[in-house]
Amino acid sequence: MKAAGWASVFMAVVRREVSLSMKQKGEVLTPLFFFVIVTSLFPLGVGPESALLLRMAPGVLWVSALLAAMLSLQRLFAVDYADGSLEQMALSPAPLGLLVVAKALSHFLLSGLPLVLMAPVLGLQFGLDGRALGILMLSLLLGTPTLSLIGSIGAALTLGVRGAGVLLSLLILPLYIPVLIFGAGAVEADAAGLGAGGHLSLLAALLVLSAFFAPLATTTALRISLE
């Protein structure tokens, strides 16, 4: 199959995932509502002290976004596994790795991108200025696709396992820590006048590495789960 054929298969999977998710809007909106509620509770609980809120903002927003992105990971392959679609995908002429990347991209579009777009609005609660909000958006834009790609490994490893949600969290949270550190660190470094370039470059490097290695690991895990 030519490159154009692979591209059409890739886009067909993305459209299918988005279409199916749009029919169950609750699953799409739940991570976003979680993100909004958690980040909004911190200013209410901590109080109106602006210096403290500014110090907390990068970590709170990034931890909330990370946890929100995890909420829908368990269903990344579970529905297709339950109805037999995943086995058909594995037997199709299209490389399974291509289908994995398409599903990870769909997860980012449905779970990660809304968080990126909502983050500046929530950042205003903490008193972040326009520059800090821009750095926050950019760090999330680089980091959330990485979370989706890494999360796909955990989703594949826990496929069909009882208590998969808890096990999934235990598996991928350690892998999420570098993304969290560099994502929140970018905003903190910019606020301290040190520049966010180094942290953003490391986030971009993590995205490239995960885009290369995560589909391979996920494909291997899926084939093991399907045997």
Side-chain angles (χ1 to χ4, degrees), residues 78-209:
V79 176
D80 291 332
Y81 178 75
D83 65 13
S85 300
L86 188 60
E87 187 172 353
Q88 295 301 315
M89 290 180 183
L91 295 174
S92 70
L96 186 56
L98 183 72
L99 304 178
V100 166
V101 174
K103 291 181 77 68
L105 175 61
S106 303
H107 181 268
F108 163 69
L109 293 176
L110 294 166
S111 299
L113 188 58
L115 303 181
V116 176
L117 299 176
M118 183 59 70
V121 178
L122 299 174
L124 293 174
Q125 299 179 100
F126 295 85
L128 295 177
D129 58 22
R131 179 180 175 85
L133 293 174
I135 298 295
L136 175 65
M137 281 192 72
L138 185 55
S139 67
L140 285 170
L141 190 61
L142 290 170
T144 46
T146 308
L147 299 181
S148 296
L149 286 163
I150 295 174
S152 68
I153 303 174
L157 287 172
T158 57
L159 200 59
V161 177
R162 290 186 61 184
V166 176
L167 183 58
L168 174 61
S169 301
L170 293 174
L171 284 173
I172 65 172
L173 274 176
L175 300 176
Y176 277 179
I177 289 175
V179 183
L180 173 63
I181 291 173
F182 297 133
V187 185
E188 293 172 353
D190 184 74
L194 302 176
H199 290 81
L200 295 175
S201 297
L202 288 169
L203 279 176
L206 287 174
L207 176 56
V208 172
L209 287 173

Side-chain angles (χ1 to χ4, degrees), residues 15-48:
R15 284 195 297 269
R16 172 183 177 271
E17 294 298 316
V18 173
S19 176
L20 290 175
S21 297
M22 286 296 103
K23 293 178 182 178
Q24 298 177 329
K25 292 184 174 60
E27 294 181 5
V28 177
L29 295 176
T30 296
L32 187 59
F33 285 151
F34 177 88
F35 183 51
V36 172
I37 291 169
V38 171
T39 53
S40 299
L41 287 176
F42 274 90
L44 295 175
V46 173

Side-chain angles (χ1 to χ4, degrees), residues 59-85:
V60 169
L61 289 164
W62 251 98
V63 169
S64 301
L66 184 151
L67 295 175
M70 284 180 57
L71 288 179
S72 56
L73 277 176
Q74 188 179 345
R75 293 181 54 84
L76 191 60
F77 302 110
V79 176
D80 291 332
Y81 178 75
D83 65 13
S85 300

